[in-house]
Amino acid sequence: ASAVDAETAPAPELGAGLAKTRLGFFSRIKNLFSRKPTLDRASIDELEAELIGSDVGVKMAITIVDRVRSEVD
């Protein structure tokens, strides 16, 4: 590996941190659906907050939630 590759490769700590974040996100989503097996307005709002709070991005979060709402209504 060249010096450039070593400089641009992600540090092992970054990969571990991203894995921890991803695991936490999916754990919270799983917890939401295990507590409320049917989607109601409150659970959809909670899903929206989780998505926006994660690094999904506001636009993508709104797109996902709008789609969920259209399937539920």
Side-chain angles (χ1 to χ4, degrees), residues 26-40:
F26 286 114
S27 176
R28 289 188 304 275
I29 298 299
K30 180 181 173 186
N31 185 31
L32 168 66
F33 288 109
S34 65
R35 285 184 326 213
K36 298 180 179 183
T38 57
L39 289 174
D40 58 11

Side-chain angles (χ1 to χ4, degrees), residues 14-60:
L14 176 62
L18 290 173
K20 184 177 175 182
T21 299
R22 185 173 43 254
L23 181 62
F25 168 72
F26 286 114
S27 176
R28 289 188 304 275
I29 298 299
K30 180 181 173 186
N31 185 31
L32 168 66
F33 288 109
S34 65
R35 285 184 326 213
K36 298 180 179 183
T38 57
L39 289 174
D40 58 11
R41 185 174 299 276
S43 59
I44 294 172
D45 291 344
E46 193 174 339
L47 173 62
E48 182 176 35
E50 279 297 333
L51 291 170
I52 291 172
S54 68
D55 283 334
V56 172
V58 174
K59 184 176 180 179
M60 180 57 71

Side-chain angles (χ1 to χ4, degrees), residues 2-11 14:
S2 69
V4 173
D5 291 339
E7 289 176 10
T8 58
L14 176 62

Side-chain angles (χ1 to χ4, degrees), residues 44 47-48 51 58-73:
I44 294 172
L47 173 62
E48 182 176 35
L51 291 170
V58 174
K59 184 176 180 179
M60 180 57 71
I62 291 170
T63 299
I64 292 168
V65 170
D66 285 348
R67 218 158 170 196
V68 169
R69 282 189 177 118
S70 72
E71 292 293 323
V72 171
D73 291 337

